[in-house]
Amino acid sequence: DFEDADLDLLAYGAFVDLGGIDGLLHVSDISWSRVNKPEDVLSVGQQIQVRILKIDPATKKISLGLKQLQPEPWEAAQGKYQVGQRITGPVTRLADFGAFVEIEPGVEGLIHISEMSWGKKIHHPSDVLKQGDTVDTVILGIKPEDRRISLGLKQTLTDPWSDVTSKFPVGSQIEGPVTKIMPFGAFIQIAEGIEGLVHVSEISADKRINHPQDVLRAGQVVKAQVLGIAPEKRQIKLSMKQLVPTS
């Protein structure tokens, strides 16, 4: 270890004067937390203590570390967190598949895009979150050996399917837009995060329909009757033809 070493900043790290010999403190070895730019945490002329990580005699390069003087956060994190625990932290970065949240300096968890909403279709995490947001999450899984913590955002919100049976009992009438048309039927949005299926055989009582798109279109608002509910499968069966009076 070297104490009271002067440094000079670069985009990818800092050169540290070890007393006539320069060593490179790479940005990834400054802190266990994510550091975007060395100047965010260091300043030119600052006296720091560093540890020599590697010496390459051929190139005469010395690699230095600052974070290595502190305990490795994941080692301390083992046994500290449990599945089901609520965690609040800032969003550090977004990826196509999810958002990373800082649980503590040097320890991040991932909210997968599938764990962001109970029903809303999310195309990209930026539809819901942005870098710097402070979010409340629930720990879904922990793999300390892989340095992975899985987080859930939707688990902090009420599951819209939890009271669907009382809200939309069998025989009740609903109204909503057609969200998706398939060869076997059409999905109708009953409420935020809840869709029901009108099977092609339940669309019309007057004529045989070969394909739902023959009579329905996406976005069309329709009325239907609830035929059956399976909350554990997140399924609701609907019928449009049941609302048509029989002569």
Side-chain angles (χ1 to χ4, degrees), residues 91-100 116 124-131:
V91 176
T92 56
R93 57 195 171 104
L94 300 177
D96 290 340
F97 52 83
F100 290 90
M116 292 185 175
H124 192 274
S126 59
D127 295 342
V128 180
L129 301 170
K130 64 179 183 296
Q131 187 172 332

Side-chain angles (χ1 to χ4, degrees), residues 161 164-165 228-237:
W161 283 87
V164 70
T165 304
I229 305 175
E232 69 283 357
K233 297 180 180 179
R234 295 180 181 265
Q235 294 177 353
I236 296 181
K237 294 180 180 180

Side-chain angles (χ1 to χ4, degrees), residues 13-14 34 38 61 71-72 89 99 111-112 116 129 136 145 153 164-165 172 184 195-196 218 235 241 243:
R34 188 175 300 277
K61 289 182 178 180
E72 209 282 338
I111 308 173
H112 192 269
M116 292 185 175
L129 301 170
D136 190 22
E145 65 279 7
L153 181 61
V164 70
T165 304
S172 63
F184 54 82
E195 290 183 342
Q235 294 177 353
K241 75 179 185 181
L243 295 180

Side-chain angles (χ1 to χ4, degrees), residues 6-38:
D6 288 316
L7 59 85
D8 189 21
L9 303 179
L10 296 170
Y12 55 85
F15 277 110
V16 182
D17 182 0
L18 305 177
I21 302 174
D22 284 345
L24 175 62
L25 174 60
H26 193 270
V27 65
S28 62
D29 285 309
I30 292 176
S31 174
W32 290 113
S33 301
R34 188 175 300 277
V35 177
N36 295 318
K37 296 180 295 184

Side-chain angles (χ1 to χ4, degrees), residues 130-145:
K130 64 179 183 296
Q131 187 172 332
D133 282 350
T134 298
V135 293
D136 190 22
T137 66
V138 173
I139 294 179
L140 303 180
I142 306 174
K143 289 186 176 180
E145 65 279 7

